[in-house]
Amino acid sequence: METDPRPLRVAIADDALLLREGIAKVLVDGGLELVASVGTGAELVEIASRGDIDAAVLDIRMPPSYRDEGILALEEMRAQGSTIGVLLLSMYATPEYALRVMGTGSGTGYLLKERVSEPQTLVRAVETVASGGSVVDPEVVEQLVQRTRADDPLSRLTERERSVLELMAQGYSNGGIAQALFLGLKTVETHVRSILQKLDLEESPEHHRRVLAVLTLLGAR
């Protein structure tokens, strides 16, 4: 008889103890295993270097400067070769931060802290980045969609393709997109192929192409 796979091992970094405890409860209740809960990005980088975790959830603004310590920690982990999933949390929907986060490659995400009160959203986001996918908060996606210009690459997309791309940015799989938009799976696959072609994204592993598509959305001005 096959045993169940082990739960995802997660670490949390945030200087606010109460928020750490809230995030921990959501993740543990969602079936994930909490390995560590720390107050700085430097501590998280050390934990990631030991290979003990599958994913990390961390605040963007932490000591000492309360500016971009979380992103700096992410960049350091990637520079060290870590491929764990990393989900950044922020109080504000800042497209520039989201672009910088997603620019580090696959397995990354950017969510607003208010999503902590949406357990399924937070747990799904952690699972998505741990599997190499990408997640961008829907509020950030909405801001970017409203700011796009007529000469942006996104102008090549149909309204339905734009909807599919927005859900891709939020970390939905093709099956999840099909359910959300009430479409057949093959129809979604056709839309995804069309999006990647229209955005002139070269052939490469699927996750990488999806991240590039999200970056195109994030880079729209």
Side-chain angles (χ1 to χ4, degrees), residues 84-103:
I84 67 168
V86 180
L87 180 67
L88 277 293
L89 299 180
S90 175
M91 288 289 293
Y92 309 102
T94 308
E96 291 75 18
Y97 276 171
L99 180 59
R100 187 172 159 196
V101 168
M102 304 309 297

Side-chain angles (χ1 to χ4, degrees), residues 194-206:
S194 178
I195 290 167
L196 298 176
Q197 289 171 357
K198 289 182 178 180
L199 297 181
D200 298 323
L201 299 177
E202 298 295 331
E203 288 288 345
S204 59
E206 182 185 2

Side-chain angles (χ1 to χ4, degrees), residues 69-89:
E69 283 77 12
I71 301 179
L72 291 173
L74 165 61
E75 292 170 342
E76 184 172 351
M77 285 186 280
R78 294 295 185 246
Q80 293 179 359
S82 175
T83 59
I84 67 168
V86 180
L87 180 67
L88 277 293
L89 299 180

Side-chain angles (χ1 to χ4, degrees), residues 28-120:
V28 172
D29 288 350
L32 309 187
E33 178 184 346
L34 180 64
V35 173
S37 176
V38 297
T40 68
E43 292 173 288
L44 181 63
V45 171
E46 171 60 27
I47 292 167
S49 71
R50 299 199 296 262
D52 295 335
I53 57 176
D54 304 302
V57 179
L58 66 159
D59 190 12
I60 286 182
R61 298 182 177 184
M62 290 186 288
S65 69
Y66 293 95
R67 290 186 294 190
D68 61 350
E69 283 77 12
I71 301 179
L72 291 173
L74 165 61
E75 292 170 342
E76 184 172 351
M77 285 186 280
R78 294 295 185 246
Q80 293 179 359
S82 175
T83 59
I84 67 168
V86 180
L87 180 67
L88 277 293
L89 299 180
S90 175
M91 288 289 293
Y92 309 102
T94 308
E96 291 75 18
Y97 276 171
L99 180 59
R100 187 172 159 196
V101 168
M102 304 309 297
T104 63
S106 59
T108 54
Y110 178 98
L111 283 186
L112 295 183
K113 283 189 174 181
E114 63 192 57
R115 305 302 171 200
V116 175
S117 65
E118 302 171 12
Q120 291 183 340

